[in-house]
Amino acid sequence: YNTFSGFSRTITTPPEDQPSFVILGDSLTNQNGDGYEVSGFPYYAASRGYFNWMRGFLSGQVSLLSNEGVGGETTAEILLRVGDVIALNPDYCVVCAGVNDVGDGETATTIKTNLDSIKSALEDEGIETFWIDLTPNEGWDAAQIAVAKDVNAYIATYDNSISAWDIVADVDDYPKDGYTQDGVHWSE
């Protein structure tokens, strides 16, 4: 692979026989990698993110072209970076975004509008999208949980969506014990 390292991402030229992916989102995306430190996340987190799970389930038959995850970003900020993804011309883009919006008190309507704009921009360029819904945050109150669940119900209407909430949330809609390293970021 040809690899070019930047401050917060690594761009890799995948083998021609493997589909190329870009992952786009916030810190839940940024913590993904090839087992190396990714913007401050240690090896154990960088080697366990959702893209690595996918790669494992598919026996390594996918290539990560670029990790476009930036910690702390909202869907509005992520939308501004969609052009960076389009410029890379991947076959697929996995989007995991919205938890920071909920934490910042954004409305479900605004989050859904931004997600729709991200989806349209990518798909209009022929990039197939996959969606990971919002996961619980141990610092959220009942109103924030309600917003997240509303957004998740909306994401579930997209083609190629997966519910991480169903995997990570306990019966009280907070992260299950042992599933996060800090109440937000996945540890498994």
Side-chain angles (χ1 to χ4, degrees), residues 18 64 129 144 155 173 180:
Q18 290 186 358
L64 178 60
T129 58
Q144 290 169 310
I155 291 172
D173 294 321
T180 68

Side-chain angles (χ1 to χ4, degrees), residues 45-153:
S47 64
R48 293 187 179 181
Y50 63 80
F51 187 80
N52 292 299
W53 300 338
M54 183 176 77
R55 184 182 283 162
F57 286 120
L58 297 175
S59 302
Q61 299 302 307
V62 295
S63 293
L64 178 60
L65 179 60
S66 182
N67 181 335
E68 296 292 329
V70 177
E73 283 198 342
T74 64
T75 55
E77 294 166 313
I78 292 165
L79 176 58
L80 294 174
R81 295 187 301 104
V82 168
D84 296 340
V85 174
I86 293 168
L88 293 167
N89 195 31
D91 298 311
Y92 304 97
C93 183
V94 180
V95 182
C96 180
V99 295
N100 293 316
D101 298 70
V102 174
D104 288 350
E106 194 56 75
T107 66
T109 300
T110 297
I111 299 167
K112 292 186 275 189
T113 298
N114 290 337
L115 293 174
D116 278 344
S117 295
I118 292 167
K119 183 178 188 299
S120 293
L122 293 168
E123 292 179 355
D124 286 352
E125 294 296 324
I127 300 168
E128 189 169 349
T129 58
F130 292 84
W131 296 87
I132 299 174
D133 70 1
L134 284 63
T135 55
N137 180 319
E138 70 181 25
W140 286 348
D141 61 25
Q144 290 169 310
I145 291 170
V147 168
K149 290 176 105 175
D150 184 4
V151 171
N152 284 349

